[in-house]
Amino acid sequence: MASNGSDVPPVGRTPLRATADNALKIVVVGGFGVGKTTLVGSVSEIRPLNTEEVMTRAGEGIDPAGSWGKRSTTVAFDFGRITLSERQVLYLFGAPGQERFWFLWDRLFSGALGAVVLVDTRRLEDSWYAIDRLEHHGTPFIVARNNFGEPGHTLEQVREALDLPPEVPLVDCDARDRESGKRVLISLVHHLAALAGADADALAGADAAAPADAEALAPVPAAAEPPALAGAPDAIYEESTP
């Protein structure tokens, strides 16, 4: 990139702090045209990188553009950034929604702390694949209903339609609004913290039980062995668990 003769960054771009050394990753997934590009762009502190391309006649019959008035589409991924502290930065990746680009999702999920599944209640079935792939990878996620108008269903009805477990958060949002988008990300962070706390509690419980288990499994001292077996040479003992 050619220098502009100044240390001032281009308009619309925030330089990354030189002290930042810990990168965190969140992925935004969902069906075609649910607002993933809009959400990433609304919360990013930098001008987001996107791979939007104008849809052409070649895509007719493949992408349902006419139904929703959409004239461009993401062909790779969207990228945004939020600085969390002097040393931590959050990277946002918006996945493409068209079925022919789903092969990219598995790579985008790699290394992600968690994901936001953005849904449009007019086309809930478009979100099933995203939820399935996240569950397959074991990636924690929340679901955000992007309101394109007055909601026609309650969140509980949406949860039932998506067959979401009760522990998966389901929230409302407006992908166009920065504060609303930030609340979605905060909800995901709270969910991740709750899962980490549950894992820590389970680990602590296992550690607390370990001494008793170890004592129960400890070999019987030689002096306590039955007299008939104590002097048996080269004896081999096998324990089996039912």
Side-chain angles (χ1 to χ4, degrees):
M1 179 183 297
S3 171
N4 58 10
S6 171
D7 292 333
V8 178
V11 175
R13 297 190 181 276
T14 303
L16 182 63
R17 294 179 182 273
T19 55
D21 59 3
N22 188 16
L24 309 173
K25 177 181 179 182
I26 287 177
V27 181
V28 181
V29 294
F32 177 75
V34 296
K36 300 181 296 296
T37 298
T38 301
L39 178 62
V40 172
S42 69
V43 298
S44 176
E45 69 185 13
I46 62 171
R47 187 171 61 205
L49 166 68
N50 62 61
T51 54
E52 289 275 298
E53 294 293 342
V54 175
M55 303 180 69
T56 65
R57 290 185 179 275
E60 291 183 0
I62 300 175
D63 298 319
S67 302
W68 313 107
K70 187 171 172 61
R71 293 292 175 262
S72 62
T73 183
T74 299
V75 297
F77 60 84
D78 304 303
F79 174 78
R81 190 189 79 205
I82 301 174
T83 299
L84 302 178
S85 67
E86 291 284 337
R87 310 199 71 85
Q88 290 188 324
V89 61
L90 174 66
Y91 292 135
L92 298 170
F93 289 82
Q98 309 92 306
E99 184 174 352
R100 68 180 185 275
F101 295 129
W102 284 352
F103 70 93
L104 294 171
W105 286 17
D106 290 349
R107 291 299 184 92
L108 287 177
F109 294 160
S110 178
L113 283 179
V116 174
V117 179
L118 204 59
V119 303
D120 179 351
T121 53
R122 299 171 297 179
R123 296 173 288 137
L124 281 179
E125 66 277 6
D126 291 353
S127 305
W128 291 339
Y129 181 78
I131 294 173
D132 177 75
R133 295 311 299 168
L134 288 167
E135 290 177 340
H136 172 76
H137 283 273
T139 304
F141 66 94
I142 69 169
V143 177
R145 176 175 66 175
N146 189 15
N147 291 320
F148 290 86
E150 189 66 26
H153 306 83
T154 66
L155 286 179
E156 284 307 311
Q157 289 173 324
V158 175
R159 178 180 294 278
E160 182 178 354
L162 291 174
D163 194 24
L164 283 180
E167 64 271 14
V168 176
L170 173 62
V171 299
D172 266 325
C173 78
D174 181 342
R176 301 165 298 182
D177 182 73
R178 177 178 175 82
E179 291 303 315
S180 180
K182 286 167 59 178
R183 286 193 295 270
V184 169
L185 298 180
I186 291 171
S187 296
L188 175 58
V189 171
H190 286 167
H191 180 51
L192 295 174
L195 292 177
D199 289 343
D201 290 343
L203 184 60
D207 289 342
D213 291 342
E215 183 178 350
L217 295 175
V220 178
E225 291 180 356
L229 298 178
D234 303 323
I236 299 177
Y237 301 95
E238 294 182 357
E239 294 183 356
S240 61
T241 303

